[in-house]
């Protein structure tokens, strides 16, 4: 028998529950010049006590504290029983540090929630981001003790803990200072889940107390077996009929008081107001101004190497950097006012490109320096194998893209015949500036003996190229220039 699929509401609730049991915190700022106690709250200090009493090497703890103070710990993710972060050490790639902590059982959670619901002051303290000592030191132990924290790290150091895991522990103490619900999440349940459970417990407790303190006249009639009634209400009520059983004569409505009194009129239930109508005339505050645009797109954090990952960390960093650059360019284009008044359609600064051109764009923008490194050589080899080109072809195309973007890449392989005008006047301008005479062919002006060349683009800019004399192995050399004299002068001074 196949299980019934979950309804939309149940699926949404499940997604909320899973999201509530995972919190991600951005890198905490460095604490330059701060010394003394690392944690500010007593429960944050208790967390560090559990770390320090277990550590086998105080020197590693000291280095971990320094790493934490200097901001070497990147984004921290907290889930039940597990805290993970990347920590930057002395190597280019960071290490993946992890802290394990056992979660509470369902029975322990029931006891803990009952303790919180029984004392409203405890819930008030939690909502104020304080951890009541009576709650933390009760029958259910919330704070870790010696040996409860299990550190792990991808670094080659087998210390327990290593300096990277110790740095993560120190930063977690700062998270606990700000929000003790992080500790409850480590123990197994998220903040929303806990507050919902406490709300249900408080409602049940309130109803039970109201029922216990209600007057006897307001309580329902006891249900007991009368003689000869076979287990119904009281025998007297059964004998007097159904009207008398409710305390009024037949045909009389409402509640009955003393003899001669008129029954109280029945209350008309009040009807609610639709939320749309209640909020229709409410003034709406203006939207806040947009945040300022940073001058440059940000760089994603370096990811640690790991075994058995379904992706290459370098490739993911590569794509993340490209996504940030594209987003920055799109926002810049959207904020740049166009000619004329009014709103105009904003065209994407990244039009659709064929796979080869897009691969070259990615390679050129992900590694914007011109130098060849081991990383770029490996990237060129992989791209050449995937596209059926040679690594030299890839390197030359990357240089052309850096020189002029899509137009630079077009000029690399495709000559064209420009119309009369700027191209013809360029030779005269070069001779007037007492520069070498270049031989025209298509959109190229070339001096093969010197190994220099200018290529005229469709954007009316001049693209300098150079080659070994007589080799005809042309490579982009320097940025494009709208002035042929300036482009050739830069090329000759290289």
């Amino acid at each position: 028998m196949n299980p019934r699929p979950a309804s939309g509401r149940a699926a949404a609730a499940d997604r909320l529950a899973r999201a509530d049991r995972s919190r991600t915190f951005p890198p905490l700022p460095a604490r330059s010049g701060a010394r003394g106690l690392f944690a500010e709250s007593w429960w944050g200090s208790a967390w560090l006590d559990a770390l320090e009493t277990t550590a086998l090497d105080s020197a590693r703890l000291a280095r971990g504290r320094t790493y934490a103070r200097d901001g070497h710990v990147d984004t921290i993710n907290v889930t039940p029983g597990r805290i993970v972060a990347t920590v930057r050490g002395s190597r280019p790639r960071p290490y993946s540090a992890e802290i394990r902590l056992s979660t509470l059982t369902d029975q322990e959670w029931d006891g803990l929630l009952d303790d919180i619901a029984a004392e409203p002051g405890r819930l008030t303290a939690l909502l104020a981001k304080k951890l009541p000592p009576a709650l933390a030191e009760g029958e259910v132990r919330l704070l870790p003790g010696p040996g409860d924290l299990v550190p792990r790290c991808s670094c080659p150091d087998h210390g327990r803990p290593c300096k990277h895991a110790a740095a993560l522990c120190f930063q977690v103490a700062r998270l606990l200072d700000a929000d003790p619900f992080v500790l409850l999440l480590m123990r197994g349940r998220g903040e929303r889940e806990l507050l919902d459970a406490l709300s249900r417990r408080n409602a049940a407790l309130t109803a039970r107390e109201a029922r216990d303190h209600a007057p006897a006249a307001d309580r329902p009639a006891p249900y007991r077996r009368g003689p000869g009634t076979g287990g119904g209400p009281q025998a007297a009520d059964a004998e007097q009929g159904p009207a008398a059983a409710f305390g009024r004569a037949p045909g009389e409505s409402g509640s009955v008081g003393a003899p001669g009194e008129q029954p109280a009129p029945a209350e008309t239930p009040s009807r609610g107001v639709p939320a749309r109508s209640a909020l229709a005339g409410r003034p709406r505050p203006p939207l806040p101004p947009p945040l300022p645009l940073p001058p440059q797109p940000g760089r994603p954090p370096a990811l640690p190497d790991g075994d058995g990952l379904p992706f290459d960390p370098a490739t993911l960093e590569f794509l993340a950097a490209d996504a940030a650059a594209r987003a920055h360019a799109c926002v810049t284009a959207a904020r740049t006012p166009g000619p004329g008044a009014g709103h105009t359609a904003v065209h994407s600064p990244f039009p659709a490109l064929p796979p080869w051109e897009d691969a070259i764009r990615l390679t050129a923008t992900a590694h914007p320096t011109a130098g060849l490194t081991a990383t770029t050589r490996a990237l060129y080899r992989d791209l050449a194998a995937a596209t059926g080109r040679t690594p030299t072809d890839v390197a030359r195309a990357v240089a052309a893209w850096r020189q002029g973007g899509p137009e630079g890449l077009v000029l690399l392989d495709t000559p064209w015949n420009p119309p009369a005008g700027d191209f013809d006047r360029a030779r005269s301008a070069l001779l007037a500036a007492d520069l070498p005479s270049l031989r025209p062919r298509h959109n190229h002006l070339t001096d093969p003996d010197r190994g220099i060349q200018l290529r005229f683009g469709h954007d009316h800019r001049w693209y300098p190229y150079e080659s070994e004399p007589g080799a005809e192995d042309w490579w982009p050399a320097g940025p494009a220039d709208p002035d042929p004299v300036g482009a050739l002068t830069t090329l000759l001074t290289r």
Side-chain angles (χ1 to χ4, degrees), residues 37-104:
L37 294 176
F38 203 90
E40 298 177 356
S41 63
W42 72 266
W43 56 91
S45 299
W47 168 273
L48 293 181
D49 287 343
L51 167 70
E52 293 168 355
T53 54
T54 309
L56 302 178
D57 185 357
S58 59
R60 287 189 174 93
L61 283 184
R63 289 195 294 271
R65 181 191 293 263
T66 302
Y67 270 27
R69 288 193 190 280
D70 295 344
H72 284 239
V73 181
D74 291 328
T75 301
I76 301 175
N77 179 254
V78 181
T79 54
R82 187 169 182 257
I83 309 123
V84 181
T86 54
V87 182
R88 287 174 279 110
S90 56
R91 297 185 180 182
R93 287 205 168 276
Y95 298 106
S96 178
E98 178 181 338
I99 304 295
R100 295 273 185 171
L101 178 66
S102 62
T103 58
L104 302 181

Side-chain angles (χ1 to χ4, degrees), residues 331-350:
V331 175
T332 302
R335 290 192 174 189
T336 303
H343 296 281
T344 59
V346 178
H347 299 285
S348 171
F350 295 96

Side-chain angles (χ1 to χ4, degrees), residues 266-305:
E267 295 182 0
T268 303
S270 60
R271 301 183 62 183
V273 179
R276 185 187 300 273
S277 301
L279 300 176
R282 185 177 180 181
R284 298 179 181 178
L287 293 175
L291 295 175
L293 184 68
Q296 299 293 333
R299 299 290 300 178
L303 299 176
D305 291 321

Side-chain angles (χ1 to χ4, degrees), residues 42-43 116 119-136 176-181 184 191 195 198:
W42 72 266
W43 56 91
I116 300 175
E119 294 291 340
R122 295 176 180 177
L123 178 57
T124 303
L126 284 175
L127 293 177
K129 306 304 181 184
K130 306 293 182 183
L131 184 62
L135 183 63
L176 294 178
D177 283 344
D179 189 357
F181 278 102
L184 296 171
E191 180 175 355
L195 294 180
L198 288 171

Side-chain angles (χ1 to χ4, degrees), residues 362-436:
L362 278 168
T363 307
T365 54
H367 298 280
T369 59
L372 281 177
T373 63
T375 302
T376 55
R377 286 192 179 93
L379 183 61
Y380 292 171
R381 287 195 300 269
D382 293 343
L383 183 56
T387 57
R389 312 286 181 109
T390 66
T392 302
D393 293 337
V394 174
R396 199 192 314 263
V398 167
W401 187 279
R402 289 174 179 157
Q403 184 186 54
E407 179 65 19
L409 192 58
V410 170
L411 293 179
L412 178 66
D413 297 320
T414 310
W416 64 291
N417 294 316
D422 292 343
F423 183 79
D424 298 321
R425 289 190 290 269
R427 297 182 64 201
S428 300
L430 294 175
L431 292 175
D434 198 21
L435 292 173

